[in-house]
Amino acid sequence: DVAGAVGMAAALAAVAAGRAATARRVAALRDRLADGLCRIDGVEWTVADAAPDHVLPNALHLLIDDVDSEPLLFLLDREGVRASASSACASGAVAPSHVLSAIRPGAEQDDGRRRGALRLSLGHDVDRSQADHALAVIPGVVDHLRRSGSSARPTTAGVAGASAGAAAGLPLGER
């Protein structure tokens, strides 16, 4: 099928031509998220000290003191922010990620503190409004969990803007 091959080649050329610009745009949104979220006391970007060319433009992995990942993800999902609590290669695992442990030895438990992990994966079509939504939601959820004790069964009581139907299906992260 010559026409199909020509069409595929044109589509691949178009994607390749825009890849660098897309990567820069997505990396800028990732950095905006990292800058805003790392202002929260006890939140650390796992690769903040890495060289920019050694960090994926679409991945933001954070450690959050005094917050368990499971209720964090539950509340973020209810607010329309899709996220994960582990590295992509350990997605769905309950045990600490071997990748995170290699990046930051002892990161998930440091000096006896409980540290939740949060991974946001930004899609190629993510936009500023979606990043702003995450920046508006995540600090309130973290504060709520810290005040209530994040090992308790998650509820949306007291979380700004929370409602049972709030999930907007934003392409920030994974479902």
Side-chain angles (χ1 to χ4, degrees), residues 2-87:
V2 174
V6 170
M8 178 62 87
L12 290 172
V15 168
R19 183 180 301 142
T22 298
R24 283 190 303 275
R25 183 184 58 75
V26 171
L29 290 171
R30 179 214 52 216
D31 292 346
R32 179 177 168 72
L33 283 166
D35 291 344
L37 297 175
C38 288
R39 289 188 176 129
I40 302 169
D41 187 46
V43 174
E44 174 188 2
W45 188 9
T46 59
V47 294
D49 55 357
D53 59 338
H54 288 95
V55 179
L56 290 173
N58 68 323
L60 176 62
H61 197 288
L62 303 169
L63 295 173
I64 305 173
D65 290 348
D66 302 320
V67 171
D68 288 330
S69 297
E70 187 175 342
L72 174 65
L73 294 177
F74 177 85
L75 292 176
L76 291 178
D77 185 64
R78 293 193 94 174
E79 292 295 318
V81 177
R82 307 296 179 248
S84 176
S86 62
S87 65

Side-chain angles (χ1 to χ4, degrees), residues 49-147:
D49 55 357
D53 59 338
H54 288 95
V55 179
L56 290 173
N58 68 323
L60 176 62
H61 197 288
L62 303 169
L63 295 173
I64 305 173
D65 290 348
D66 302 320
V67 171
D68 288 330
S69 297
E70 187 175 342
L72 174 65
L73 294 177
F74 177 85
L75 292 176
L76 291 178
D77 185 64
R78 293 193 94 174
E79 292 295 318
V81 177
R82 307 296 179 248
S84 176
S86 62
S87 65
C89 55
S91 186
V94 177
S97 160
H98 68 282
V99 173
L100 180 58
S101 296
I103 292 170
R104 292 265 197 228
E108 291 195 343
Q109 192 119 53
D110 188 33
D111 300 330
R113 294 179 300 177
R114 183 177 62 241
R115 301 189 87 185
L118 177 66
R119 178 175 50 94
L120 298 172
S121 299
L122 286 67
H124 68 90
D125 57 349
V126 67
D127 62 34
R128 186 177 174 122
S129 69
Q130 294 162 336
D132 288 346
H133 176 72
L135 285 170
V137 168
I138 294 171
V141 169
V142 168
D143 181 61
H144 169 74
L145 291 172
R146 285 178 174 164
R147 283 185 289 110

